[in-house]
Amino acid sequence: MQNFEGLSPNPQQDYDGFFDFEMKEDGLYLVVYAPHGKGKFVTVEDVVKRLNQRNYKQYNLETIKQAVNAVKSQEKIEVLLSSHEDVEPVNEQVLVEISKDKMFAVISFIPPQNNGVLLSYDDVLRQIEAKGVVFGIEKEELQKALDERKPNFKYIIAQGIKPINGDNAKLEFHFRAHKEIKPKILEDGSVDFYNLDLIENVSKGQILVTLIPPTEGVPGKNVLGTDLLPIKGKNAKLPRGKNTEISEDGTKLIASIDGQVVYSNNVVNVYETYEVPNNVDNEVGNIDFVGNVIVKGNVVTGFSIVAGGNVEVYGVVEGARIEAQGDIILHRGIQGMSKGYLSSMGNIVAKYIENSTVEAAGDISSEAIMHSQIKSGGTVKVEGKKGLIVGGVVRARKQVDAKVIGSHMATVTEIEVGIDPALVERYRYLKDELAKTKKEIIKTDQVIELLNKMKEANKLTDEKRDMLQKSIRTKIFLNSRLKSITGEIAEIEPQLEEKEDGKVRAYGIIHPGVKVTIGTACMYIREELKYCTLYKDRADIRTSSYA
């Protein structure tokens, strides 16, 4: 039943009937109001319930029934329930209510009647505890409620603590699990389509994924003091795949080999071979991989492959760059267009090599080498139908074998064997540096001499004096540099004379126009040589039959 005390209903609206009690000079009156429209009438039960709440004991039930029935034909009726002598004092009451989830409790006050007594703090606290509320009682809020005592206002005086559920286990990836093909925008505004950074290399023993364990959560408690258990976090599994292992404590996924890390189908794999199903071009970008690289298509001009293992290309290598710590195998060869470059710490096998620079610590094998710069720490073998070496320079530490060297057009072709090409190249570089350094020393001496003459003539300005000091320091540096170069040259020259057992063998023809160098001896081919072996005999190069 709604209490409309002090409210003036809008006659245009439907509202329920209502009632109130009014204390007058002769006693307590019941005032009953009729409903409006489709509103409900006041019932005897409503009135009796309110009287009981206010602790009114002396009343006539028949009088209440008459008033409730009479208002059905009137808008308002007042009846005397009891005289002053019959009205007992009603002390203040407190109602304690607990929420359905038992996570908070509220109190509301029913004011005293007829000079009733107010409840004390301890009285209220006892009634709260009598309802079972023993946890989370906020004493400051309770005191605030007692200070205010708003009628029918609900004060929250106790609150429980909700449990904090545990966090699920998490996987922390230490590499880019999801890679996006996105060319880089350079500072000048151009787009770099070469370095797409699609490969992520990892080392043996490197941590790939860390498992952050689930947490238990934090228990809670309701206002009745009941413990509330949290939901424990769910565990997770490390995404172990090929060539990975789990640490002893079960919290880390570790690479068991050097290779490329790939996350797919919720599994982390480490591959020792990176395979490109098509061409190395704008869709793939440059490759820098710690293991082996296999390319099923071509390697397009301008792109590069750097591998810690072997490189195998089934298509054509154009004006590209390939560097491998292992072997390089080109099933269709390299057509370098003067840009192609191969470098291997192992061996190189290519069907043909054209207009390229090729360097190998081991052997180099091909069917044709044309107009290229070749360096081998072992043997250069050019065999097959063509077996041709024409144009360029071919250097090998041990031996050069070919069917045909040079061409009938006397194409300039240089063959050098018997000395490590890298040592020869270093020696030539040092000789050039030696000449440059000597020239720099001469120029510096001339400057110092001129400035010293100006100093003697007392014509040296501050600027020239600084120049003199710088020139002296430069000369000291150049002299030190000269000493270092001459010392290294002195170490290399005996090595160049030590081993000169290289050979050049042709099981076909060596054409005129070919220059053969074995160790320190040199020979220009002026007439065709067939089925022969060239070797060094003391200071000369001699020819014998092919063997």
Side-chain angles (χ1 to χ4, degrees):
M1 179 60 66
Q2 297 169 316
N3 183 0
F4 289 96
E5 184 174 352
L7 183 66
S8 298
N10 187 337
Q12 301 300 322
Q13 296 179 345
D14 294 335
Y15 58 84
D16 292 343
F18 58 98
F19 65 94
D20 202 354
F21 302 105
E22 185 176 347
M23 185 65 69
K24 296 185 180 182
E25 293 181 358
D26 55 343
L28 179 66
Y29 281 80
L30 169 65
V31 183
V32 183
Y33 296 87
H36 187 272
K38 297 180 180 179
K40 298 178 181 179
F41 285 93
V42 173
T43 66
V44 174
E45 290 76 9
D46 293 334
V47 178
V48 171
K49 182 179 179 181
R50 182 79 62 80
L51 288 169
N52 291 336
Q53 287 176 347
R54 295 195 176 192
N55 203 22
Y56 291 139
K57 304 298 183 182
Q58 301 296 327
Y59 59 84
N60 190 314
L61 185 60
E62 287 299 323
T63 302
I64 296 173
K65 291 180 180 179
Q66 291 174 8
V68 168
N69 290 329
V71 82
K72 293 180 180 179
S73 59
Q74 303 178 41
E75 290 187 3
K76 174 184 176 184
I77 189 169
E78 294 183 15
V79 295
L80 178 66
L81 287 181
S82 61
S83 64
H84 282 295
E85 290 77 11
D86 298 329
V87 177
E88 297 180 3
V90 179
N91 294 334
E92 182 182 39
Q93 298 180 54
V94 64
L95 298 178
V96 181
E97 299 175 82
I98 301 172
S99 62
K100 289 183 178 180
D101 60 4
K102 299 180 176 54
M103 291 305 294
F104 66 91
V106 299
I107 61 172
S108 56
F109 295 99
I110 298 175
Q113 299 289 332
N114 308 324
N115 299 316
V117 179
L118 292 174
L119 295 172
S120 68
Y121 179 93
D122 292 335
D123 293 335
V124 175
L125 186 59
R126 278 193 294 272
Q127 292 196 42
I128 291 172
E129 293 174 346
K131 280 285 189 176
V133 179
V134 295
F135 178 79
I137 298 174
E138 300 175 359
K139 295 184 178 179
E140 290 184 3
E141 292 299 318
L142 177 56
Q143 186 61 57
K144 180 181 176 181
L146 287 166
D147 292 340
E148 291 183 352
R149 278 186 165 92
K150 295 179 182 179
N152 300 319
F153 184 84
K154 294 186 178 182
Y155 293 93
I156 298 176
I157 48 79
Q159 294 191 70
I161 297 177
K162 291 184 177 181
I164 300 175
N165 293 332
D167 294 326
N168 293 335
K170 296 179 182 178
L171 296 176
E172 183 178 334
F173 289 83
H174 302 292
F175 63 92
R176 291 179 296 127
H178 303 286
K179 300 176 181 67
E180 180 182 2
I181 300 177
K182 188 176 181 180
K184 296 178 181 178
I185 307 297
L186 303 179
E187 291 183 0
D188 60 2
S190 60
V191 180
D192 182 3
F193 289 99
Y194 295 92
N195 299 299
L196 300 180
D197 197 23
L198 296 181
I199 300 174
E200 189 156 359
N201 295 308
V202 294
S203 304
K204 181 179 179 180
Q206 183 174 334
I207 298 173
L208 305 177
V209 183
T210 298
L211 173 65
I212 300 174
T215 59
E216 295 289 325
V218 180
K221 187 175 287 190
N222 63 26
V223 294
L224 301 182
T226 303
D227 290 331
L228 304 176
L229 298 179
I231 299 174
K232 296 180 180 180
K234 295 180 180 179
N235 205 351
K237 291 183 178 180
L238 285 165
R240 183 180 180 183
K242 295 180 180 177
N243 300 315
T244 63
E245 56 190 30
I246 296 175
S247 61
E248 291 184 4
D249 61 5
T251 63
K252 296 177 178 63
L253 186 67
I254 301 170
S256 56
I257 64 168
D258 295 343
Q260 176 201 12
V261 60
V262 176
Y263 180 61
S264 61
N265 297 323
N266 298 319
V267 173
V268 174
N269 299 303
V270 178
Y271 299 110
E272 60 182 348
T273 298
Y274 176 65
E275 184 170 316
V276 181
N278 298 306
N279 298 333
V280 175
D281 51 20
N282 288 334
E283 292 186 5
V284 176
N286 294 333
I287 295 173
D288 187 348
F289 182 51
V290 71
N292 303 322
V293 176
I294 296 177
V295 180
K296 295 295 186 179
N298 304 327
V299 182
V300 178
T301 298
F303 290 88
S304 68
I305 298 174
V306 178
N310 302 327
V311 175
E312 187 172 4
V313 181
Y314 284 82
V316 175
V317 177
E318 299 176 359
R321 186 180 186 92
I322 299 178
E323 299 177 46
Q325 292 297 309
D327 299 334
I328 296 176
I329 300 172
L330 309 182
H331 290 267
R332 293 184 59 189
I334 178 170
Q335 193 169 15
M337 298 174 284
S338 299
K339 298 178 181 178
Y341 176 78
L342 304 179
S343 175
S344 168
M345 296 304 294
N347 303 316
I348 294 178
V349 178
K351 189 170 182 64
Y352 64 86
I353 299 170
E354 182 177 349
N355 289 307
S356 302
T357 299
V358 178
E359 301 176 358
D363 299 334
I364 296 176
S365 301
S366 181
E367 290 186 10
I369 297 176
M370 296 167 283
H371 309 288
S372 297
Q373 303 294 314
I374 307 295
K375 296 177 187 176
S376 167
T379 298
V380 175
K381 290 186 178 181
V382 186
E383 301 172 323
K385 291 182 179 180
K386 292 184 177 180
L388 171 66
I389 297 176
V390 59
V393 180
V394 176
R395 298 185 176 99
R397 168 66 186 84
K398 297 179 180 178
Q399 187 168 299
V400 173
D401 286 3
K403 181 178 181 181
V404 178
I405 302 176
S407 73
H408 64 278
M409 298 180 66
T411 304
V412 176
T413 305
E414 296 184 34
I415 307 294
E416 296 182 8
V417 295
I419 300 175
D420 185 352
L423 195 64
V424 173
E425 187 172 336
R426 180 64 180 172
Y427 179 76
R428 288 171 178 166
Y429 168 78
L430 290 172
K431 294 291 281 185
D432 288 341
E433 285 297 302
L434 181 65
K436 290 177 183 178
T437 303
K438 287 180 177 179
K439 287 181 180 179
E440 289 295 324
I441 290 174
I442 292 172
K443 289 180 181 179
T444 305
D445 284 340
Q446 291 173 346
V447 171
I448 292 173
E449 183 181 356
L450 177 61
L451 291 173
N452 279 331
K453 287 181 179 180
M454 293 177 66
K455 183 179 180 181
E456 291 173 0
N458 210 15
K459 296 181 179 180
L460 204 63
T461 63
D462 291 341
E463 183 179 352
K464 296 297 184 183
R465 188 174 288 105
D466 290 341
M467 185 181 295
L468 177 59
Q469 294 298 321
K470 289 180 180 177
S471 298
I472 293 171
R473 288 195 295 268
T474 300
K475 183 178 179 180
I476 294 172
F477 169 77
L478 291 173
N479 284 335
S480 175
R481 172 71 175 152
L482 182 65
K483 184 178 179 180
S484 175
I485 292 173
T486 53
E488 191 173 352
I489 289 174
E491 291 178 2
I492 291 177
E493 283 178 338
Q495 298 179 48
L496 296 177
E497 297 293 337
E498 276 179 8
K499 294 183 179 180
E500 298 182 348
D501 55 350
K503 294 180 181 181
V504 177
R505 304 196 312 165
Y507 59 96
I509 301 173
I510 301 179
H511 289 282
V514 175
K515 176 185 175 182
V516 176
T517 301
I518 301 178
T520 56
C522 180
M523 176 181 184
Y524 288 91
I525 308 300
R526 305 190 186 282
E527 296 181 356
E528 283 188 359
L529 298 177
K530 295 184 178 180
Y531 310 107
C532 61
T533 298
L534 278 62
Y535 63 96
K536 186 179 179 185
D537 182 14
R538 297 183 182 180
D540 298 321
I541 295 177
R542 300 192 182 278
T543 304
S544 66
S545 61
Y546 179 82

